[in-house]
Amino acid sequence: MELKNMDKIVNLCKSRGFVFPGSEIYGGFANTWDFGPVGVELKNNIKRAWWKRFVQEPPNSYGADASILMNPMVWQASGHAQSFSDPKMDCKSCKQRFRADNLVEEFSKGTVAAEAMTNEELEKYINENKIKCPHCGNFNWTPIRQFKLMFETSRGTLEGEKDVVYLRPETAQGVYVNFLNLQRTTRAKLPFSVAQIGKSFRNEVTPGNFLFRTIEFEQMEHQTFCKAEDAFEIYEETKKRALQFAEDVGLKEENLRFHDHDKLAFYAKAACDIQYRFPIGWEELNGIHHRSQHDLSKHQEYSGKSMVYVDPVTNEKFVPTVVEYAIGADRLTLAVLCEAYDEETLENGETRVVLHFNPAIAPYKVAVLPLQKNLSDKAKEVYSLLAKQFMCDFDDAGSIGKRYRREDEIGTPFCVTVDFETLENNTVTIRDRDTMQQIRLNISEIVPYISEKIIFN
Ligand code: ATP
């Protein structure tokens, strides 16, 4: 399959109100992006679909929403304060900064498992192979240094007195530290899951590629607490459900694949990513990890609070194991945009740009278009009726053909056109975005017609 063009997707996103460069009027702020009217709808719909699939539908699944700022001890216990960093090298000629593991991966075209190499091994490989700077082409590197990924800020109550606090680099810890509260209030028996959607922050060495890697992003994370002996089965089930969700939200099977990690964290028993074929190549979409008892044990050690679960049937006492599934909402939104983007040549030779979103996650479900301006009053009545049920667009400016094209470009699955026949018999046409076919329906039939087509199943 031909890879899609990222520049065209970025341009469409900017011109149609999906995503704008952050702080643009001040010249921007690198690798921050702001969601516009259709972008925020798309991302919210993706988050809702994820919540439905991972919190609403499965039994024994709950939601939480923890604070971004946490007691700094949390990051001591999790290990982030000590070791959440990437190996970076600077090019002394052009001053550009790179991740050493990425340099090796790109040079070896993925044949060398750079993530499993130590800094010494990375440096040796780069020197032996004389890997040049991808930006200026020189071979003039600084030694590797570890680059801290957590953003620090400070909280002071008295002038001059400041305590360092961190912007969380992942949401998962908010669930782990609440394990006792969550288990007590839900009275859930193992295995049970807790999901959370929220902002995370990482001072990335090499952010870029639009929404793919940013310094502030949303994560959707799902932790299953279980007995150690059940964890591998749950890990496999989680892999399947994560893949199914990616397909259901609109990503094609042929553009998704599992990638087992070459190097496991010392505590992990298994770890893999689902990769998506982005326009920049196969890249991680989400991670799934069997994390053993590490997280709760560490919080037990650092907080002094027992994280022991007592099995109500066997009376066994143990610290639960965690299976985690984590996916970036922004990265998934990018994948969905890439998959949906299409350029079609029409019979008249014109090109139409269309976003073939799954209707369940499309920003607007329906657009109401009066054929002519003097039909606007009737069209507004139809809009008011539909807007009670769905996110609806209204457009009465320009030729009907151009308006259909605009709706195609933001992926609106249905266009309702109010014409002169509407005034006579209360019927409208409904145009399908993908087939461009139109049918005629009574106004009272529109809501049920659309409702059954936009369910996320
Ligand atoms: P990567 O290898 O791409 O840096 P990671 O393995 O560090 O990612 P995790 O810590 O497992 O990522 O985070 C879970 C998910 O959060 C990732 O799969 C990705 O979808 C998303 N994510 C992580 N970092 C970023 C980022 N800087 N920008 C956007 N999304 C991100």
Side-chain angles (χ1 to χ4, degrees):
M1 190 202 79
E2 195 195 324
L3 288 181
K4 295 186 183 171
N5 183 316
M6 185 80 115
D7 288 342
K8 285 189 181 174
I9 294 166
V10 176
N11 286 337
L12 179 79
C13 282
K14 287 186 199 165
S15 66
R16 300 314 322 267
F18 282 96
V19 181
F20 309 121
S23 318
E24 195 175 14
I25 60 166
Y26 289 99
F29 188 60
N31 304 298
T32 63
W33 298 94
D34 297 341
F35 284 79
V38 281
V40 70
E41 293 302 328
L42 177 66
K43 187 157 78 142
N44 281 344
N45 291 341
I46 289 173
K47 289 191 284 184
R48 264 185 230 120
W50 187 85
W51 199 260
K52 179 168 189 272
R53 183 55 53 81
F54 289 96
V55 180
Q56 181 182 325
E57 289 173 5
N60 247 18
S61 215
Y62 307 90
D65 185 13
S67 301
I68 288 175
L69 299 176
M70 303 180 79
N71 187 314
M73 282 295 283
V74 170
W75 308 112
Q76 296 289 337
S78 70
H80 285 84
Q82 303 86 327
S83 59
F84 193 51
S85 56
D86 277 337
K88 68 126 182 133
M89 287 177 108
D90 291 327
C91 170
K92 287 192 263 183
S93 303
C94 69
K95 313 287 180 234
Q96 291 285 315
R97 179 162 286 175
F98 296 91
R99 261 171 69 171
D101 51 339
N102 287 351
L103 289 173
V104 170
E105 238 158 53
E106 271 151 40
F107 178 82
S108 69
K109 303 211 163 32
T111 55
V112 172
E115 67 185 46
M117 291 164 87
T118 62
N119 283 359
E120 290 68 40
E121 286 165 344
L122 287 169
E123 213 161 87
K124 187 159 174 259
Y125 186 94
I126 288 167
N127 288 331
E128 280 178 3
N129 290 283
K130 295 255 171 313
I131 299 180
K132 293 190 178 122
C133 168
H135 185 248
C136 71
N138 286 319
F139 175 72
N140 192 13
W141 297 111
T142 61
I144 293 180
R145 284 175 53 204
Q146 284 304 117
F147 187 82
K148 281 192 170 187
L149 297 179
M150 277 210 292
F151 281 109
E152 286 180 12
T153 184
S154 56
R155 185 175 189 282
T157 40
L158 294 172
E159 207 182 312
E161 185 186 89
K162 282 188 179 150
D163 288 327
V164 170
V165 286
Y166 300 100
L167 299 188
R168 68 180 176 198
E170 61 170 38
T171 63
Q173 299 302 326
V175 169
Y176 302 147
V177 300
N178 275 300
F179 173 73
L180 296 174
N181 287 330
L182 291 161
Q183 201 273 325
R184 180 175 49 81
T185 51
T186 58
R187 294 177 297 120
K189 297 189 185 71
L190 298 188
F192 73 94
S193 308
V194 182
Q196 173 167 216
I197 299 180
K199 286 260 177 171
S200 294
F201 304 82
R202 291 185 192 177
N203 193 11
E204 297 278 5
V205 179
T206 50
N209 289 315
F210 193 33
L211 301 177
F212 182 80
R213 191 180 299 286
T214 51
I215 53 177
E216 173 185 338
F217 53 97
E218 270 184 295
Q219 286 187 307
M220 309 193 283
E221 298 202 281
H222 180 269
Q223 320 295 326
T224 303
F225 298 100
C226 60
K227 292 183 179 177
E229 61 264 36
D230 296 335
F232 277 106
E233 200 181 324
I234 289 172
Y235 174 74
E236 291 303 326
E237 275 167 20
T238 308
K239 279 172 66 176
K240 265 195 223 144
R241 286 171 57 209
L243 184 68
Q244 187 63 53
F245 172 73
E247 287 176 23
D248 291 347
V249 91
L251 307 184
K252 290 206 182 85
E253 196 184 346
E254 75 239 35
N255 292 331
L256 292 163
R257 69 180 187 193
F258 286 112
H259 167 75
D260 284 327
H261 285 199
D262 296 306
K263 181 184 166 192
L264 295 182
F266 70 90
Y267 51 81
K269 298 271 189 269
C272 74
D273 299 334
I274 292 179
Q275 295 183 330
Y276 175 69
R277 187 153 40 159
F278 286 93
I280 49 174
W282 286 101
E283 293 287 352
E284 173 177 336
L285 180 67
N286 68 249
I288 300 149
H289 306 102
H290 173 334
R291 300 180 57 87
S292 71
Q293 295 166 305
H294 176 75
D295 305 291
L296 294 186
S297 301
K298 279 285 163 194
H299 285 301
Q300 174 170 275
E301 182 187 332
Y302 277 71
S303 69
K305 298 278 183 304
S306 169
M307 298 285 169
V308 167
Y309 171 85
V310 184
D311 188 296
V313 180
T314 62
N315 234 12
E316 252 180 299
K317 295 187 175 77
F318 57 92
V319 173
T321 288
V322 168
V323 175
E324 178 190 59
Y325 152 51
I327 181 162
D330 310 83
R331 197 176 283 187
L332 178 58
T333 302
L334 174 63
V336 164
L337 279 161
C338 294
E339 187 74 69
Y341 183 90
D342 202 8
E343 288 175 22
E344 293 174 2
T345 308
L346 302 175
E347 275 171 14
N348 63 7
E350 278 178 20
T351 304
R352 95 163 170 146
V353 171
V354 53
L355 295 178
H356 292 289
F357 293 132
N358 173 345
I361 57 148
Y364 293 119
K365 303 303 177 218
V366 55
V368 179
L369 315 172
L371 191 61
Q372 291 184 9
K373 271 245 160 82
N374 56 3
L375 292 161
S376 285
D377 286 349
K378 184 68 184 169
K380 278 181 187 153
E381 265 176 44
V382 177
Y383 174 87
S384 301
L385 177 86
L386 300 183
K388 287 203 189 301
Q389 307 294 330
F390 322 111
M391 277 306 295
C392 254
D393 197 12
F394 184 90
D395 189 358
D396 61 1
S399 76
I400 191 74
K402 286 216 174 89
R403 283 183 273 158
Y404 284 149
R405 275 309 93 76
R406 284 205 289 265
E407 295 301 330
D408 290 342
E409 287 183 4
I410 57 172
T412 309
F414 303 104
C415 286
V416 164
T417 305
V418 172
D419 54 21
F420 291 101
E421 217 180 308
T422 314
L423 301 181
E424 286 162 24
N425 61 10
N426 240 18
T427 62
V428 291
T429 62
I430 295 203
R431 171 186 180 270
D432 180 287
R433 173 197 67 202
D434 298 338
T435 62
M436 293 185 281
Q437 299 296 314
Q438 300 192 18
I439 56 164
R440 216 165 172 99
L441 285 183
N442 193 284
I443 289 173
S444 62
E445 294 170 304
I446 311 173
V447 170
Y449 178 83
I450 295 178
S451 296
E452 63 150 6
K453 294 186 164 54
I454 59 164
I455 300 169
F456 182 75
N457 269 330

